[in-house]
Amino acid sequence: MAKYSMIVSWSEDDNCYIVVVPDLPSCMADGKTSQVAVENAQAIISEWIETAELLGRDILKSLFNSKNFQRTKCENSPCPFSFFQQHSIFFQSFRGNISSVI
């Protein structure tokens, strides 16, 4: 199975951990513990890939990884990463309550 980065965060509103897989659109999971949330996300990643294959869609490669984090100089932030600058629209969509995205 391909390896994808995951973002794990606690949701006060949902009272559980939320996992977002940035490389796979709408690929998210949750769990009462961070470990359960990651395990659930691994299952969802497999299902996401299986569904994409059934629909004849491209399987996206992992771009959200340490190879793509390059420190850049910026006046507004002490150490931003170029990946976040290039994908700012994606991250802006998660500023609100994660429940509204699901």
Side-chain angles (χ1 to χ4, degrees):
M1 180 168 106
K3 294 183 179 183
Y4 290 92
S5 295
M6 300 178 195
I7 299 173
V8 179
S9 60
W10 174 255
S11 171
E12 288 290 335
D13 293 336
D14 299 315
N15 197 34
C16 65
Y17 285 90
I18 304 291
V19 176
V20 176
V21 183
D23 290 314
L24 304 177
S26 301
C27 188
M28 300 178 206
D30 62 22
K32 289 295 178 188
T33 68
S34 59
Q35 181 177 351
V36 169
V38 168
E39 290 169 1
N40 291 342
Q42 289 169 334
I44 296 299
I45 289 169
S46 295
E47 292 174 14
W48 193 102
I49 292 171
E50 181 181 325
T51 301
E53 288 173 342
L54 288 172
L55 297 173
R57 296 187 179 160
D58 292 333
I59 306 301
L60 304 173
K61 293 181 181 178
S62 178
L63 297 175
F64 191 90
N65 58 51
S66 61
K67 293 178 185 175
N68 292 319
F69 291 105
Q70 299 173 7
R71 293 189 185 275
T72 59
K73 293 182 180 180
C74 180
E75 295 176 17
N76 298 332
S77 180
C79 57
F81 296 102
S82 62
F83 180 88
F84 291 106
Q85 292 170 345
Q86 294 168 9
H87 297 84
S88 62
I89 293 172
F90 172 81
F91 292 103
Q92 288 172 4
S93 68
F94 289 102
R95 285 188 180 163
N97 181 345
I98 192 71
S99 299
S100 63
V101 178
I102 297 175

